[in-house]
Amino acid sequence: GDSVTQMEGPVTLSEEAFLTINCTYTATGYPSLFWYVQYPGEGLQLLLKATKADDKGSNKGFEATYRKETTSFHLEKGSVQVSDSAVYFCALGPDKLIFGTGTRLQVFP
Amino acid sequence: ETGVTQTPRHLVMGMTNKKSLKCEQHLGHNAMYWYKQSAKKPLELMFVYNFKEQTENNSVPSRFSPECPNSSHLFLHLHTLQPEDSALYLCASSLLSLGVQETQYFGPGTRLLVL
């Protein structure tokens, strides 16, 4: 069946460092891909999405490109901030979202 | 109040208790969802409701009983739970849920501990 694999965390970075969180997927058909973020004590928030191959989703300085040839949707940010510390979930859809296990990001000043 | 709200935020219950979780959405959506989030595991979809009708039950044990009286409210009734049911229970809503690329909006969750 469909599945999502994310890199194990935690990812620990200094402020202003470059971030990459890897996500690969297995799916039949043409799924949509999502990144959700969960800040401490809160529910999940949609960060960005891409609905077809080669689409790039972007929001708040984060980007991810839907790569069909490598079945990947890696999350990147050029310069992280302490406020980006959270758990990041990759997911595929569109109707029944299938989530990865989440990757915790810790950013230190 | 806007978005998706959940009450209570924290709940401790014994295995013989009966309790209910409540979710309310103020977004005018027609689809609502219950998810279970356990440590070290992916989010698990439990139930989906579209226009108050249950359209998905993801092999959830009968000790979890959902109720959707209208498109804005969703309940999860709990009885005779097991310690392994301890988790964060998340509610979400979306405009529709029928293969359409709709964004799901999540509540903050109820942290449940079963003793």
Side-chain angles (χ1 to χ4, degrees), chain A residues 34-89:
Chain A
F34 306 82
W35 277 101
Y36 278 82
V37 58
Q38 186 176 31
Y39 297 102
E42 299 184 17
L44 276 69
Q45 302 174 28
L46 179 67
L47 181 59
L48 53 85
K49 67 179 182 181
T51 57
K52 61 183 188 297
D54 300 325
D55 266 3
K56 178 186 282 188
S58 61
N59 185 26
K60 298 181 182 179
F62 291 90
E63 292 183 341
T65 301
Y66 188 158
R67 302 279 188 207
K68 193 168 187 295
E69 63 276 12
T70 54
T71 62
S72 65
F73 193 55
H74 304 321
L75 182 67
E76 297 182 336
K77 186 174 185 182
S79 176
V80 292
Q81 305 300 311
V82 173
S83 57
D84 293 327
S85 298
V87 181
Y88 292 81
F89 294 89

